[in-house]
Amino acid sequence: MARDTLTGSRIRERRLILGLRQAELARQAGISASYLNLIEHNRRRIGGKLLVDIAAVLGVEPSMLSEGAEAALISTLREAAADSGVPVAELDRVDEFAGRFPGWAEVLAACHRRIATLEQMVETLSDRLTHDPNLAASVHEVLSTAAAIRSTASILAEPGELEPQWRDRFHKNLNEDSLRLAESSRALVSFLDERDTDSPRRGMPQEEAEDYFQSQGFHFPALEDGQLGIADMMAEVPVELSAAARSLVQVALEQYLSDARALPMEPLAAEIASEGIDPVGLARRFGCGLPVVLRRLAVLPEAVLGREAGLVICDASGTLLFRKPVTGFAMPRFGASCPLWPLYTALVHPHVPVRRHVVQQGRNAAAFECMAVAWPQEQPDFGSDPVYRAVMLILPSGQPTQDAQPVGASCRICPRRGCPARREPSILKEQF
């Protein structure tokens, strides 16, 4: 039923909420009760002055009666019905439901949004509990110390007398191991509970470096303009970063400066404005490699590129070395990513540009255009094997195309069934 034909239903629901009799509303609006009855049953269209008069009696804006629920609410209800996996025969009447019962519709939409948030939280926590190296190291320390204490205690509990020097040694070990267990247990609790500290937790060096680039928006105009050098930029890096993270930041900044010199901002922006995003064409016009172009495009301001962009770089082992996130494209914090990413296709075929339209599986499937290429880090010598890296530019592409390839984030949190590239069972069901 069209939205503009539900005005009568909304008038009736609002009248019942206020406890008005049909005759009373008709009298105050200056019409007959029989005519109001036809309006409330959507048998007569209403508008103009009569709609304004009835809205004034009911104490609402006329648009609340003529337009009903917001489009976002109706869209959420449709999404909730689609995600439920249960055929809904009345899906075409969702507008009527939202118009007649706006309170219940909002409750249902809020529950759907909360479920989506909780599911995303479960995915994040599962990824962290499975692959977080700090957590794994802390748990291993606690378990190994407890095993050492158990072994020492079992020796002391054996029947018979121990020689004094051996007994003293075991007592000393037991005391040291118990202190170690107390410290490691306290460290584990502190790691899991962040409520007692206001300082951010220091993660892996790669995460620290990526957090720094994220805080800068992945763009350094002062470095491009020559106002600051690498040493000046490193002097402004927060002192909280570890030495390993600072070294990663310096290497990334040097790469950034090299790419910026190969593709200066002004001529690059002019080319994009006139020709659009054509990485191969840009590589030919500026006389540089395709990896340089993909890295450079990913860090351009959104106002210059015309859209949001993401970037991932991996080495020959498939390990992600650098990540620039893009809305809707999930990237795992720890562990291996989806082997179906075009990034890894490019790694198998060095120097061959790979362009793919992909759809990342999940509650809200999002479509992206991915462009990737692999290249050797340096020219190999005779008798030595090249060491490759691969880069992938990720651009949101709106609606999925018919040839879009389904991909995931990582196998553990990917709900796709029958995937030939799956490494391990997923903790999620297909409808999760």
Side-chain angles (χ1 to χ4, degrees), residues 234-350:
M234 292 303 301
E236 296 183 357
V237 172
V239 296
E240 295 82 10
L241 264 65
S242 63
R246 295 178 70 88
S247 66
L248 293 179
V249 169
Q250 181 168 347
V251 170
L253 288 177
E254 291 172 351
Q255 183 70 76
Y256 180 99
L257 181 57
S258 175
D259 295 343
R261 287 173 175 171
L263 294 164
M265 175 63 72
E266 291 187 5
L268 177 59
E271 286 288 341
I272 293 175
S274 61
E275 304 294 335
I277 301 176
D278 179 14
V280 175
L282 290 173
R284 291 170 179 169
R285 284 190 287 274
F286 285 88
C288 59
L290 189 56
V292 177
V293 176
L294 297 182
R295 291 194 302 260
R296 182 65 171 149
L297 291 176
V299 298
L300 290 179
E302 191 170 340
V304 175
L305 192 62
R307 66 173 85 176
E308 189 181 8
L311 184 76
V312 287
I313 300 175
C314 76
D315 61 14
S317 70
T319 303
L320 299 186
L321 305 178
F322 188 84
R323 298 170 296 186
K324 179 180 182 291
V326 60
T327 304
F329 195 93
M331 302 179 187
R333 291 181 59 205
F334 308 106
S337 52
C338 177
L340 297 179
W341 285 4
L343 176 75
Y344 302 117
T345 304
L347 197 59
V348 178
H349 305 283

Side-chain angles (χ1 to χ4, degrees), residues 107-422:
V107 168
L108 182 60
C111 290
H112 173 69
R113 289 190 291 266
R114 176 169 173 77
I115 290 172
T117 301
L118 292 176
E119 288 175 352
Q120 184 178 7
M121 186 183 301
V122 168
E123 293 179 10
T124 303
L125 291 177
S126 173
D127 188 32
R128 175 182 170 190
L129 290 174
T130 304
H131 301 293
D132 195 324
N134 294 326
L135 179 60
S138 298
V139 173
H140 181 269
E141 177 69 15
V142 171
L143 294 178
S144 61
T145 307
I149 293 175
R150 178 70 183 89
S151 176
T152 304
S154 64
I155 295 175
L156 292 175
E158 290 180 356
E161 291 291 332
L162 289 174
E163 295 182 6
Q165 62 271 24
W166 282 104
R167 185 182 65 246
D168 293 343
R169 180 176 298 179
F170 284 131
H171 283 159
K172 180 181 179 182
N173 290 342
L174 191 63
N175 178 63
E176 292 176 351
D177 288 339
S178 63
L179 290 175
R180 195 171 115 200
L181 178 62
E183 290 297 327
S184 58
S185 300
R186 189 179 300 110
L188 178 59
V189 172
S190 299
F191 180 81
L192 294 175
D193 188 1
E194 296 180 306
R195 292 174 297 177
D196 297 334
T197 177
D198 295 330
S199 59
R201 177 188 296 156
R202 296 176 65 178
M204 300 175 63
Q206 181 183 348
E207 286 189 294
E208 294 182 73
E210 289 176 358
D211 288 343
Y212 168 72
F213 279 94
Q214 185 78 41
S215 67
Q216 302 296 318
F218 293 89
H219 185 55
F220 303 88
L223 190 61
E224 293 189 32
D225 298 341
Q227 300 178 11
L228 297 177
I230 297 293
D232 301 320
M233 295 295 300
M234 292 303 301
E236 296 183 357
V237 172
V239 296
E240 295 82 10
L241 264 65
S242 63
R246 295 178 70 88
S247 66
L248 293 179
V249 169
Q250 181 168 347
V251 170
L253 288 177
E254 291 172 351
Q255 183 70 76
Y256 180 99
L257 181 57
S258 175
D259 295 343
R261 287 173 175 171
L263 294 164
M265 175 63 72
E266 291 187 5
L268 177 59
E271 286 288 341
I272 293 175
S274 61
E275 304 294 335
I277 301 176
D278 179 14
V280 175
L282 290 173
R284 291 170 179 169
R285 284 190 287 274
F286 285 88
C288 59
L290 189 56
V292 177
V293 176
L294 297 182
R295 291 194 302 260
R296 182 65 171 149
L297 291 176
V299 298
L300 290 179
E302 191 170 340
V304 175
L305 192 62
R307 66 173 85 176
E308 189 181 8
L311 184 76
V312 287
I313 300 175
C314 76
D315 61 14
S317 70
T319 303
L320 299 186
L321 305 178
F322 188 84
R323 298 170 296 186
K324 179 180 182 291
V326 60
T327 304
F329 195 93
M331 302 179 187
R333 291 181 59 205
F334 308 106
S337 52
C338 177
L340 297 179
W341 285 4
L343 176 75
Y344 302 117
T345 304
L347 197 59
V348 178
H349 305 283
H351 301 290
V352 178
V354 177
R355 185 197 297 264
R356 296 285 188 275
H357 290 276
V358 304
V359 175
Q360 193 167 58
Q361 301 294 290
R363 170 168 292 277
N364 298 314
F368 299 89
E369 180 183 13
C370 297
M371 290 171 277
V373 69
W375 77 100
Q377 289 183 248
E378 57 184 16
Q379 179 63 45
D381 199 352
F382 292 103
S384 62
D385 296 326
V387 179
Y388 288 101
R389 288 191 177 182
V391 59
M392 181 172 72
L393 177 68
I394 309 169
L395 301 174
S397 60
Q399 295 298 323
T401 60
Q402 292 184 352
D403 61 341
Q405 177 180 343
V407 300
S410 65
C411 290
R412 186 164 181 80
I413 55 174
C414 179
R416 184 186 176 199
R417 292 182 180 178
C419 178
R422 179 170 293 283

Side-chain angles (χ1 to χ4, degrees), residues 64-95:
M64 291 297 296
L65 300 177
S66 61
E67 299 176 6
E70 294 292 337
L73 175 59
I74 296 175
S75 176
T76 304
L77 292 176
R78 292 185 182 276
E79 183 182 342
D83 291 339
S84 68
V86 180
V88 182
E90 300 86 3
L91 187 59
D92 57 337
R93 301 178 63 187
V94 63
D95 199 352

